[in-house]
Amino acid sequence: MTPPSLSTRRSIRLVLALTSALALLIAPASAAERAAESRAKEQELIRILQSAAPAAEKAIPCKQLAIYGTPTAVPALAPLLADPDLSSWARIALEAIPGPAADAALRDALARVEGRLLVGVINSIGVRSDAQATDGLVAKLKNPDAEVASAAAIALGRIGSAAAAQALLPALSTTRGDVGSAVAEGLILCAERSLAGGNNAEAVKLYDAVRKANVIRPRIIEATRGAILARQSDGLPLLLEQLHSTETEFFRIGLRVARELPGRPVTDALVAELGRSSAERQPLVLLALADRSDDAVMPAVLKAAGSGSTDLRLAAIRVLEHDGDAASVPVLLEAAVDNDARLASAAKVALLKLEGPAVDADLLARLPQATGKTLQTLLELAAQRRLPAALPAVLRSIESPDPATRRAAIEGVGALGNEAQAADLVKLLAKTSDAPARGDLQKALTALCARAGTRCVPALLPLARHTDSELRMAGLHLLASVGGPEALAAVTRAINDADEAVQDDAVGLLATWPNNWPDDVGAAEPLLNLAKSGKKLAHQLQGVRGYLQYIQENKRLSDAEKVGQVKELLTLIQRPEEKRLAIAALGTLPTASSLDLLGTLANDRAVAEEAYLAIVAVAPSKRLTDVSPEMRRKALQLVLDRSQNNPTRKKAEGALNALK
Amino acid sequence: MNPSRPTRTPAAPPPPAGETSALTRRGFLKTTLQASAVLLAPQIVPGSVLGKDGGIAPSQRVVLGAIGIGNRGAYVLGCFLQEPDVQFVAIADVKAARRNAIKKLADTKYGNEDCATYRDLRELLARPDLDAVLIATGPNWHAAASILAAQAGKDVYCEKPCTKNIAESFALADAFRRTGRVFQAGTQRRSLPNFAFAVELAHRGKLGKLETLHAHPGGLGTSMSGWMAPETAPPNEEVDWDLYLGPAAWRPFNRRFLDGFNFEKGGGLTGGGCLEWGSHCVDLCQWANQADDTAPVEYEPKDGKLFARYANGTRLVLRNDGWLPLGSCPVRFEGDRAWVETADNGDLVASSEALLQGKGAKIGGYPADFHVRDFLDGVKTRGHTRANADIACWAHIACHAANIALYLNRKVQYDPRKNEFIGDEEANRLRSEALRDPWRV
């Protein structure tokens, strides 16, 4: 951005100075002090306005007079209404300053200014609702400048008096285009004022006049809305007329007003209308009806949810989702087992979201007698709504001959059961050979174990000892998910399982034994053993990785202690793959000994580049407090001199420069 | 009428006692809907409205225009364009480069040259074929353009902050009620599941009695808009300076004003975070407090924070620090039994993990597509959107009142029913500001 010019800077300084002065002025003070300071400020602002200062320096003072000005300031502001640069600023003050002086200044300007400045003055008169300006505004209705005439019409509307309305009414038939629209708007504003004053008859008269006038469609729509509401309950026929209209805009305003016009007869009529509407319009009428608040609404919604077109039923179901209660359960259950997938899905969502104990009780009461798809739906709902009382009924269905029902029941046990049901599910798993069914059971067990934790271990141990390898692996995974010493022991034993696939699984579980880190400290020893004497290279690498993870995640160890344990590990490993894992761990542990160790590892050509990269991570670290700057530089210089990797050397160079 | 005591333009007859709940009830319906807003929002419109077999009948398309589309607007417009029932046909922008860029975007999408361009928004609004407009001009124009659009018979999705002062907030709500048009403020967090879930916890009493709501305003500075030295104005065809200024008081061209995002934000008080972020996070607090039809009654700047209080006793604190690292626009709702905090990364943190059961999928990054869909649903059903003009009105009033307290640097008390700062003439005068000719709201 280019620097501001001298004059710009001057203007900015002025604004800042005034704003600062204002800030001082508005610092907390007593009301009396504030008043005195306001008067002083006003005098200063008036002085600026009456000076020969350029317009740029008078704009903000105008704005401040909106807050601090009194009638005293009006004579300084009034001449600015004719100034194209400052008129809008002056009106900010004159609109805000209370009292007749500002009104008079604006009225006087009606005869002094023209064009857009006059429009602005008229708008301000409208905002101030100055009834004394009525005659002047009426005269402007015939101004050849359409913007002036339009502004006058709307200002008269804002005044909203009987005189204003009487002046506007004849203009409705003599004006066209934008002015005609403004006259209509003015009359609508007058009607609102009448309505607020309790004069509904006058409001109806004005709204009807606009409705029947030759003005643009939006004004007629607004007047129609007003005409219905102003008639109150007598507005019903006019509302229904809109709902019957073949023109979209009128139908739409009908939908809007159907939500606003109060009264039971209106609701009853809308219910009847629902039955008469076209299939396309029925859902829209229903949604409007649903936004009303009386007792006649819900029966109609329930009826619509159970019969009619799919679209109507969908709309009704979605209303029940938010407004329904126990009375909605039957119709929703019926829809939930409908062959139309959209209906079934919407109904299930609604049944899930219905609130209250009465809904739960209703669903529970239906479970014992339910069959087929209804039973399946109820089982799913029991699980999703977390209804513990449903557990006995759910358990009765876990061996149902119907696969869908069985599956829903098993999912239900997973959601609702405890360690006792874990044993049931394990037994069922042990005698199930079907792969998808096993998957469902394992999923349910996983969910159940996630809640019950180590209390499930006794139920799971038999699975880990089963003769079927697949089940042993399933048991090991479930045990690993709950953790604890017994689970760890079972997984460790499985490293020597007769089946190689189980061994691999057990090694994988042990190497990623994160369940209760660092509480499961018992994982360290089997991991170290695995690193030292695993049956396969892959097992040993997993052991190294797992042990290093154990070290890094162990919050009980300091960085120095962790480096010590990595150092010990390094005495047991020879292969570059394992050393790289250790180097990566050292790179996260910024201590003097890790830097030293990395320097040594850098002499091993097979892992030198990994060591250089780790040195670049450790040497600049702010956590590295026990190493002199000289030692850091030396380590980084080593990397710069020896690394063959350009990105690593660039990092070393950057770190060295930062150290300088 | 004494201008220091403006009252709202009456718009509709007050319903009889006990029947005022039509809107309120719908508000509650919306509230309960929010908890699953993401999953359910696309399902709100009945299939028939959307047409059969995934195809959209021409009569069921929402024909859309846009006004003032820069960076943010282009993102929101993208959300509209991905909806199959939207047909975008026209752009109005005072800046040639921007209107041409949007035309190129639209023409590329549709494979034609049909997107019309306008410099003057009034020409676009005069098109009878438009159902709705997206307004993303900059705060200076938001309320005035929205009201013009409503008066032209268009539904409006408008970016925030939607108004420059309290009077504009009421004018906006009045205009949309009077015209029966549908309005959606661009406060898309109302349609996001993490915020909705936190609000739901408050509404269902899971937090106990609500005591304190916290909002991150993103700065509490206020200042006045100004006037800078004149520069040579570009041709109107390139940047129409008069239209750019629109309702703002006149000043000579200076290209530094062309940052529409910040120009005249907050009107008389150029606003800072109270409006920019408060229109989101204060709005969420209003929602949590079931205060969508009112605003706090007391505002006090103190120790770099703004402390407000609702009539029901719930406190609202606007503060910039002390937040959990959950991203931008954080809110925190504290009851006498529990609390919850959430922000734009989509995470929820609560005093008890159990409170968060059923929170659903995490959606970070505050996308606007659910909110846009909600608006389109409203256009078709004529129902109330999640951030309709009444809701936006009161949320903005809360922000403006806070801004006024900050500007005056003192405690102010506000009567929402009378729209009056009690015993504070200066605060009352800050409720409105004259618009430059020929504009009005």
Side-chain angles (χ1 to χ4, degrees):
Chain A
M1 181 184 286
T2 52
S5 67
L6 184 65
S7 55
T8 300
R9 290 201 299 272
R10 187 179 170 214
S11 297
I12 293 170
R13 277 201 306 276
L14 175 73
V15 171
L16 291 176
L18 286 168
T19 306
S20 302
L22 198 58
L24 286 174
L25 182 69
I26 60 183
S30 71
E33 286 170 330
R34 283 209 308 268
E37 287 176 353
S38 294
R39 297 296 74 79
K41 183 66 180 174
E42 181 187 27
Q43 287 306 312
E44 174 58 13
L45 296 168
I46 291 170
R47 188 194 64 73
I48 294 170
L49 293 190
Q50 292 177 329
S51 74
E57 294 178 16
K58 292 180 177 176
I60 294 297
C62 284
K63 202 156 177 171
Q64 291 176 340
L65 281 170
I67 308 170
Y68 303 106
T70 68
T72 308
V74 171
L77 289 161
L80 302 181
L81 290 173
D83 182 331
D85 291 357
L86 288 171
S87 176
S88 53
W89 296 92
R91 285 196 297 105
I92 291 173
L94 287 169
E95 259 190 35
I97 293 172
D103 286 326
L106 288 164
R107 284 198 305 272
D108 289 347
L110 284 175
R112 287 195 295 114
V113 297
E114 293 180 336
R116 278 182 51 171
L117 296 187
L118 177 56
V119 170
V121 167
I122 292 173
N123 286 348
S124 288
I125 288 173
V127 169
R128 291 177 65 93
S129 198
D130 175 16
Q132 289 188 50
T134 301
D135 290 344
L137 294 172
V138 170
K140 298 294 181 194
L141 284 176
K142 292 180 180 165
N143 194 291
D145 183 336
E147 282 198 290
V148 170
S150 297
I154 291 165
L156 284 167
R158 288 183 170 161
I159 291 168
S161 62
Q166 286 312 305
L168 286 168
L169 271 172
L172 198 55
S173 55
T174 58
T175 52
R176 291 288 179 271
D178 290 344
V179 180
S181 173
V183 169
E185 187 179 336
L187 282 166
I188 289 169
L189 293 170
C190 288
E192 289 177 352
R193 189 58 67 97
S194 295
L195 209 51
N199 190 348
N200 287 42
E202 175 68 8
V204 167
K205 185 182 96 181
L206 298 177
Y207 282 130
D208 283 351
V210 175
R211 271 200 316 129
K212 291 164 187 166
N214 183 18
V215 292
I216 62 171
R217 179 63 64 88
R219 297 292 85 72
I220 293 177
I221 298 285
E222 290 163 27
T224 301
R225 171 187 174 272
I228 296 168
L229 295 172
R231 285 176 165 86
Q232 299 184 319
S233 57
D234 291 342
L236 182 55
L238 192 53
L239 166 60
L240 294 177
E241 189 181 317
Q242 311 317 310
L243 293 175
H244 297 157
S245 174
T246 54
E247 293 185 68
T248 304
E249 280 304 298
F250 288 102
F251 174 63
R252 285 182 162 186
I253 198 65
L255 290 175
R256 197 74 172 178
V257 182
R259 293 166 161 96
E260 295 181 277
L261 187 65
R264 175 64 181 261
V266 178
T267 305
D268 290 340
L270 288 170
V271 170
E273 191 59 27
L274 183 62
R276 287 194 290 266
S277 296
S278 67
E280 191 180 353
R281 286 186 170 186
Q282 274 182 330
L284 298 172
V285 174
L286 179 88
L287 291 173
L289 182 64
D291 275 347
R292 300 179 58 81
S293 57
D294 61 53
D295 297 341
V297 171
M298 197 45 70
V301 174
L302 287 169
K303 185 181 171 194
S307 59
S309 69
T310 301
D311 292 329
L312 178 63
R313 293 182 70 190
L314 277 171
I317 287 169
R318 283 162 192 155
V319 171
L320 293 178
E321 177 186 324
H322 307 296
D323 285 1
D325 56 20
S328 317
V329 170
V331 72
L332 288 174
L333 261 181
E334 190 184 327
V337 298
D338 196 282
N339 290 328
D340 186 312
R342 288 187 304 161
L343 278 176
S345 170
K348 285 178 182 176
V349 169
L351 281 164
L352 179 57
K353 290 182 174 273
L354 288 185
E355 288 183 46
V359 176
D360 290 340
D362 188 310
L363 294 171
L364 285 169
R366 291 170 187 275
L367 252 176
Q369 299 86 28
T371 57
K373 284 172 80 174
T374 305
L375 174 59
Q376 180 197 333
T377 302
L378 286 169
L379 290 169
E380 288 168 359
L381 286 168
Q384 290 161 347
R385 293 177 69 95
R386 299 285 189 273
L387 303 177
L391 192 55
V394 172
L395 283 168
R396 280 197 294 277
S397 294
I398 61 172
E399 297 192 64
S400 166
D402 174 44
T405 302
R406 191 168 62 238
R407 190 173 189 192
I410 288 168
E411 186 188 330
V413 178
L416 305 171
N418 53 39
E419 60 271 26
Q421 283 74 51
D424 295 337
L425 291 181
V426 165
K427 281 179 198 160
L428 203 53
L429 184 57
K431 63 181 184 184
T432 302
S433 56
D434 176 57
R438 279 189 171 185
D440 292 341
L441 284 161
Q442 286 181 50
K443 199 172 157 190
L445 273 165
T446 303
L448 193 158
C449 291
R451 289 197 317 281
T454 54
R455 294 197 303 277
C456 291
V457 169
L460 298 174
L461 284 174
L463 206 54
R465 293 193 291 266
H466 200 276
T467 53
D468 183 334
S469 298
E470 260 192 46
L471 292 180
R472 288 206 298 286
M473 284 193 277
L476 292 173
H477 279 273
L478 288 164
L479 284 165
S481 76
V482 297
E486 283 182 286
L488 179 62
V491 170
T492 305
R493 276 196 301 277
I495 290 171
N496 297 311
D497 192 278
D499 185 328
E500 195 175 327
V502 178
Q503 292 175 16
D504 290 347
D505 243 20
V507 168
L509 290 168
L510 184 62
T512 54
W513 194 258
N515 317 310
N516 300 306
W517 259 173
D519 296 336
D520 278 1
V521 290
E525 187 184 338
L527 281 168
L528 204 51
N529 289 338
L530 200 59
K532 280 193 287 190
S533 53
K535 288 181 180 172
K536 300 177 186 173
L537 172 59
H539 288 185
Q540 291 171 16
L541 283 174
Q542 282 178 280
V544 170
R545 187 179 289 119
Y547 185 66
L548 286 168
Q549 183 188 339
Y550 159 78
I551 292 170
Q552 286 173 277
E553 298 290 329
N554 193 334
K555 294 184 172 60
R556 297 173 193 173
L557 299 176
S558 68
D559 282 357
E561 287 170 325
K562 289 176 181 176
V563 173
Q565 295 203 1
V566 175
K567 193 174 181 181
E568 276 183 43
L569 180 69
L570 280 167
T571 64
L572 301 173
I573 58 179
Q574 301 298 326
R575 279 179 288 270
E577 295 89 337
E578 294 163 330
K579 286 183 182 176
R580 287 188 189 111
L581 294 173
I583 288 170
L586 288 171
T588 67
L589 301 168
T591 70
S593 56
S594 66
L595 200 57
D596 190 44
L597 208 48
L598 287 168
T600 305
L601 286 162
N603 293 324
D604 182 342
R605 291 180 64 184
V607 295
E609 285 301 333
E610 285 82 359
Y612 295 143
L613 196 57
I615 288 171
V616 172
V618 170
S621 172
K622 288 179 182 170
R623 286 163 58 201
L624 190 62
T625 53
D626 54 348
V627 174
S628 69
E630 183 53 35
M631 290 298 292
R632 294 174 190 242
R633 275 195 290 272
K634 194 175 165 186
L636 290 166
Q637 191 62 49
L638 176 85
V639 176
L640 197 57
D641 293 344
R642 293 195 193 167
S643 175
Q644 302 297 308
N645 183 296
N646 278 340
T648 304
R649 294 177 73 251
K650 274 190 180 173
K651 283 183 187 170
E653 191 175 9
L656 265 173
N657 288 337
L659 281 175
K660 285 172 188 169
Chain B
M1 186 180 77
N2 185 333
S4 68
R5 298 285 183 271
T7 56
R8 296 184 65 181
T9 302
E19 299 249 10
T20 53
S21 54
L23 281 179
T24 310
R25 180 170 171 277
R26 181 62 189 182
F28 173 74
L29 192 154
K30 285 291 179 187
T31 292
T32 54
L33 184 147
Q34 306 303 326
S36 55
V38 173
L39 289 174
L40 297 177
Q43 301 174 4
I44 292 171
V45 183
S48 65
V49 177
L50 294 174
K52 303 293 184 190
D53 304 317
I56 307 299
S59 63
Q60 303 300 348
R61 287 196 189 115
V62 175
V63 181
L64 181 75
I67 298 171
I69 302 298
N71 290 340
R72 176 65 192 172
Y75 165 71
V76 180
L77 180 58
C79 294
F80 274 97
L81 292 180
Q82 73 185 11
E83 295 296 327
D85 52 342
V86 167
Q87 179 77 23
F88 177 65
V89 298
I91 168 72
D93 201 305
V94 298
K95 297 176 183 172
R98 299 205 323 180
R99 59 179 178 264
N100 291 338
I102 295 303
K103 173 176 171 54
K104 187 177 174 188
L105 176 82
D107 289 349
T108 301
K109 175 180 169 61
Y110 296 119
N112 57 32
E113 296 285 320
D114 292 351
C115 181
T117 59
Y118 304 93
R119 201 169 74 209
D120 189 329
L121 76 169
R122 289 168 295 191
E123 291 177 36
L124 178 140
L125 292 173
R127 286 179 59 138
D129 61 329
L130 289 183
D131 296 307
V133 289
L134 162 65
I135 297 172
T137 48
N140 174 48
W141 257 112
H142 282 163
S146 293
I147 291 169
L148 277 173
Q151 290 171 336
K154 317 302 180 198
D155 297 325
V156 174
Y157 184 111
C158 180
E159 265 305 313
K160 36 60 58 178
C162 301
T163 66
K164 297 206 292 183
N165 52 54
I166 290 174
E168 278 197 355
S169 305
F170 283 129
L172 183 82
D174 285 348
F176 278 83
R177 197 180 304 115
R178 178 184 303 126
T179 57
R181 308 313 310 183
V182 172
F183 180 84
Q184 180 85 301
T187 49
Q188 75 278 10
R189 290 168 178 87
R190 284 238 173 195
S191 296
L192 289 173
N194 57 314
F195 293 107
F197 189 87
V199 167
E200 196 73 0
L201 289 177
H203 287 187
R204 293 193 182 194
K206 304 285 186 189
L207 308 178
K209 181 182 180 303
L210 266 192
E211 292 186 331
T212 309
L213 310 163
H214 298 258
H216 187 318
L220 289 170
T222 67
S223 58
M224 277 190 161
S225 59
W227 176 312
M228 288 194 277
E231 294 175 354
T232 303
N236 271 351
E237 185 54 33
E238 184 183 328
V239 177
D240 190 322
W241 177 243
D242 182 63
L243 272 175
Y244 178 81
L245 281 180
W250 188 86
R251 68 213 71 183
F253 176 83
N254 185 298
R255 67 186 62 256
R256 290 199 291 162
F257 282 132
L258 287 180
D259 168 18
F261 185 70
N262 288 309
F263 177 64
E264 290 278 307
K265 185 179 290 178
L269 314 174
T270 56
C274 251
L275 270 299
E276 172 56 29
W277 286 97
S279 50
H280 281 299
C281 58
V282 170
D283 173 60
L284 293 166
C285 291
Q286 291 261 116
W287 185 19
N289 196 32
Q290 302 189 62
D292 279 335
D293 57 354
T294 186
V297 296
E298 186 176 281
Y299 304 78
E300 182 176 21
K302 194 176 175 185
D303 302 329
K305 301 182 178 72
L306 188 287
F307 297 88
R309 181 178 58 79
Y310 287 90
N312 69 357
T314 306
R315 291 184 296 272
L316 169 67
V317 181
L318 275 62
R319 58 180 168 86
N320 289 311
D321 46 25
W323 294 94
L324 297 173
L326 302 177
S328 53
C329 203
V331 288
R332 181 185 175 96
F333 309 144
E334 294 173 348
D336 61 3
R337 292 210 313 268
W339 57 265
V340 64
E341 187 167 328
T342 189
D344 278 345
N345 75 357
D347 281 329
L348 285 143
V349 179
S351 49
S352 156
E353 192 62 27
L355 280 174
L356 302 180
Q357 281 183 359
K359 65 183 176 184
K362 169 181 167 177
I363 295 180
Y366 50 94
D369 38 5
F370 304 116
H371 207 52
V372 164
R373 186 65 250 170
D374 179 62
F375 169 67
L376 293 169
D377 294 346
V379 170
K380 292 184 171 182
T381 65
R382 314 313 293 167
H384 298 285
T385 53
R386 291 180 190 146
N388 62 53
D390 287 307
I391 286 171
C393 166
W394 285 108
H396 280 70
I397 285 173
C399 296
H400 289 305
N403 228 11
I404 287 169
L406 287 162
Y407 182 71
L408 296 175
N409 193 23
R410 62 172 178 259
K411 183 198 289 191
V412 297
Q413 291 180 313
Y414 180 68
D415 182 338
R417 195 172 52 81
K418 293 181 181 171
N419 176 30
E420 183 177 311
F421 288 96
I422 299 165
D424 196 325
E425 180 65 27
E426 290 165 358
N428 278 323
R429 292 201 196 183
L430 287 164
R431 288 173 302 180
S432 65
E433 182 177 294
L435 272 60
R436 190 172 67 102
D437 45 83
W439 311 105
R440 54 183 163 258
V441 293

